[in-house]
Structure formats: structure tokens, C-alpha cells
């Protein structure tokens, strides 16, 4: 694989938390490359380090040691302000608990990242409607999160992650609060979007049954990638 196809490059990533003066090693030297335009799956048991690693890749957290390059940029060299700007432009997030804003309807939740990046009003409407269409929710655009099912809420969250066309979408156990069938539908939806677009996905789960057919599997065990 040529280097230009790499979107995330992790070199010797360590993360140690301090808990009551005791060191908790969560990541123990992760070195790996993640390629563009794939549906990457991080699979590992509870406590293996999935969230810690995704938060570091998402520039929400910083490693204790090691370096990380995203889209060719060494993000460990960026200031806090530069890091939030980088995150806003290049990375979309989908969370286990959906994290939608309860007082905003589906349309407004999806529009929100465009307000943060100061996208002109004239462009916003088309982008929001396109993202809602991709997840099959145009008919539900005026509903509040509590008027939607869990699967529909997660679709809104996927549209929100995609609306600014990020290079990278990170989804940390987005199916954990959904039943098996709805979880599978959400994965298939993300895989379909990945296959038809320019976005790289990183998806994490502890459930092997959900992802047996994925080509880009990373097994995480006890803070290392096998
Ligand atoms: N803020 C924190 N302070 C101290 N230890 C932490 C903190 N966050 C995570 N850990 C520890 O780091 C390790 C990895 O945790 P992490 O949350 O990354 O695992 P995970 O694979 O996401 O688990 P799960 O499937 O339950 O979400 C665990 O041993 C956990 O207890
Ligand atoms: Mg986790």
C-alpha cells in the first residue's frame, strides 16, 4: 500500500491513566496504519482500550507517549485551539449514547456542526437534507430525539457526523444501546455510506457477531493490537 493511502498513522501509542495515585496502563504501545476509504473495525472486550484509542485518534484526548498522524498532520504537535479546529474540519463522531441535543429536532441536530464551522446559510440546507436523505430520515426531519426510536436517533447522529464531509468518522460502540437487528442495520448503513463515498470509518464493538464479514479488522486486547 502506498503511503498516500494512509489516513491514520499510530506510532508506539501509550496511554496511562492515574487513578488515586495508581498508574492504569490503558494502551501499551500501539503501532499501526489505517488506510483511507475503508470500514475499519476495532474489536475487543470491555476494558481492552477501544474508547481510549478512539478518543486519541479523534483528538479528544492525547497519548502519554507516541505520535499520531492524521491526514499527514502530526496532531501531537498542534496547540489546543489548532486541535479543535482540526477536529471540527476533519473528524465526525458517532457515540454509543447518541448524544443528540434533546431540544433540537433531527434537522437542527444535523445542522449544528455546520453552524460551528460557520458554513453559509445558503449551503447549509442542501447539505443537511442530503445527509438526512443518506440515512433515510427525510420524513422525520422535524421530530425531536425523544420522538424517534433508538435506531432512528443513531441515524440522526450518523447524518450529523457526515454532514461536513469529514475525512474520518469515528463510531465508538454505536450499536451497544440497540437490539441486534437494529445494530446490524446501523452497521450496514455505515458500510453502504462508506462504500459509496470518500469517508473512512473506524467503528468499535465488543460483539464479534456483528462484524464477521469485515475486511479491515483490528483486534484489541489489553491495550495492544494483535
Ligand atoms: N479516565 C480513566 N481513568 C482511569 N482509568 C481509565 C479511565 N478511562 C479508562 N480507564 C481504564 O483504561 C482501560 C481501557 O478503558 P477503555 O474505556 O478504553 O476500554 P473499552 O475497550 O472502551 O471498554 P468498553 O468496551 O467497556 O467501553 C480500562 O482498564 C479502564 O478501566
Ligand atoms: Mg468503550
Amino acid at each position: 500500500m502506498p503511503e498516500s493511502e494512509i489516513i491514520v498513522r499510530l506510532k508506539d501509542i501509550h496511554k496511562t491513566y492515574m487513578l488515586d495515585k495508581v498508574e492504569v496502563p490503558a494502551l501499551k504501545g500501539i503501532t499501526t496504519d489505517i488506510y483511507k476509504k475503508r470500514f475499519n473495525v476495532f474489536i475487543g472486550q470491555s476494558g481492552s482500550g477501544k474508547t481510549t484509542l478512539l478518543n486519541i485518534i479523534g483528538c479528544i484526548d492525547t497519548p502519554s507517549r507516541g505520535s499520531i498522524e492524521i491526514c499527514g498532520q502530526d496532531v501531537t504537535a498542534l496547540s489546543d485551539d489548532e486541535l479543535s479546529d482540526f477536529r471540527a474540519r476533519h473528524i465526525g463522531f458517532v457515540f454509543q449514547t447518541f448524544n443528540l441535543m434533546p431540544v433540537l429536532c433531527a434537522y437542527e441536530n444535523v445542522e449544528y456542526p455546520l453552524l460551528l464551522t460557520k458554513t453559509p446559510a445558503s449551503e447549509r440546507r442542501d447539505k443537511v437534507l442530503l445527509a438526512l436523505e443518506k440515512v433515510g430520515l427525510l420524513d422525520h426531519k422535524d421530530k425531536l430525539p425523544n420522538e424517534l426510536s433508538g435506531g432512528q436517533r443513531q441515524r440522526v447522529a450518523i447524518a450529523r457526523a457526515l454532514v461536513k464531509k469529514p475525512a474520518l468518522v469515528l463510531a465508538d460502540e454505536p450499536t451497544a444501546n440497540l437490539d441486534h437487528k437494529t445494530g446490524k442495520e446501523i452497521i450496514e448503513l455505515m458500510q453502504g455510506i462508506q462504500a459509496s463515498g470518500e469517508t473512512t470509518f473506524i467503528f468499535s464493538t465488543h460483539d464479534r457477531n456483528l462484524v464477521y464479514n469485515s475486511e479491515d479488522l483490528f483486534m484489541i486486547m489489553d491495550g495492544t493490537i494483535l
Side-chain angles (χ1 to χ4, degrees):
M1 274 287 178
E3 283 214 3
S4 59
E5 290 303 304
I6 295 170
I7 185 159
V8 178
R9 173 156 259 189
L10 301 165
K11 279 195 201 135
D12 198 27
I13 296 289
H14 289 253
K15 180 71 182 183
T16 303
Y17 293 108
M18 285 302 276
L19 199 64
D20 300 330
K21 298 185 183 155
V22 178
E23 291 191 352
V24 182
L27 300 178
K28 303 173 182 170
I30 288 191
T31 299
T32 195
D33 292 332
I34 294 167
Y35 289 95
K36 286 180 186 166
K37 298 183 207 170
R38 305 281 190 91
F39 192 83
N40 301 282
V41 178
F42 287 10
I43 188 158
Q45 292 179 343
S46 178
S48 58
K50 302 181 298 293
T51 298
T52 304
L53 185 56
L54 282 184
N55 286 349
I56 288 174
I57 295 173
C59 307
I60 293 175
D61 201 357
T62 51
S64 313
R65 201 170 101 202
S67 74
I68 163 161
E69 262 179 41
I70 303 173
C71 304
Q73 166 73 51
D74 176 0
V75 294
T76 41
L78 297 178
S79 69
D80 284 354
D81 278 355
E82 288 169 333
L83 210 52
S84 356
D85 186 53
F86 184 86
R87 192 168 56 222
R89 279 188 293 121
H90 296 294
I91 304 173
F93 295 91
V94 181
F95 300 95
Q96 182 173 335
T97 50
F98 318 137
N99 291 18
L100 299 176
M101 285 191 253
V103 297
L104 300 184
C105 69
Y107 182 97
E108 291 163 331
N109 266 287
V110 176
E111 184 183 35
Y112 191 71
L114 298 180
L115 298 173
L116 290 183
T117 51
K118 300 194 170 60
T119 307
S122 56
E123 292 173 29
R124 285 205 302 269
R125 191 174 166 77
D126 285 351
K127 289 188 171 169
V128 173
L129 293 178
L130 183 66
L132 282 166
E133 190 187 0
K134 274 190 189 159
V135 300
L137 276 189
L138 272 184
D139 291 346
H140 297 278
K141 67 179 170 42
D142 298 321
K143 289 194 178 160
L144 293 172
N146 70 10
E147 297 168 331
L148 297 168
S149 69
Q152 289 169 335
R153 285 180 211 185
Q154 201 57 301
R155 283 168 191 265
V156 176
I158 292 168
R160 178 183 60 185
L162 290 168
V163 72
K164 58 191 180 184
K165 290 202 186 328
L168 188 60
V169 170
L170 302 176
D172 186 19
E173 302 221 40
T175 55
N177 285 315
L178 302 173
D179 62 74
H180 187 83
K181 178 169 166 284
T182 311
K184 270 222 112 61
E185 285 166 9
I186 287 292
I187 292 173
E188 281 161 14
L189 174 70
M190 292 195 296
Q191 284 173 325
I193 292 168
Q194 188 283 315
S196 66
E198 297 292 299
T199 308
T200 305
F201 279 78
I202 301 179
F203 162 86
S204 84
T205 182
H206 60 266
D207 187 354
R208 294 197 64 125
N209 294 325
L210 278 174
V211 289
Y212 54 84
N213 61 352
S214 176
E215 287 171 25
D216 298 282
L217 263 187
F218 296 79
M219 303 284 291
I220 303 187
M221 206 171 142
D222 199 18
T224 53
I225 285 186
L226 301 183

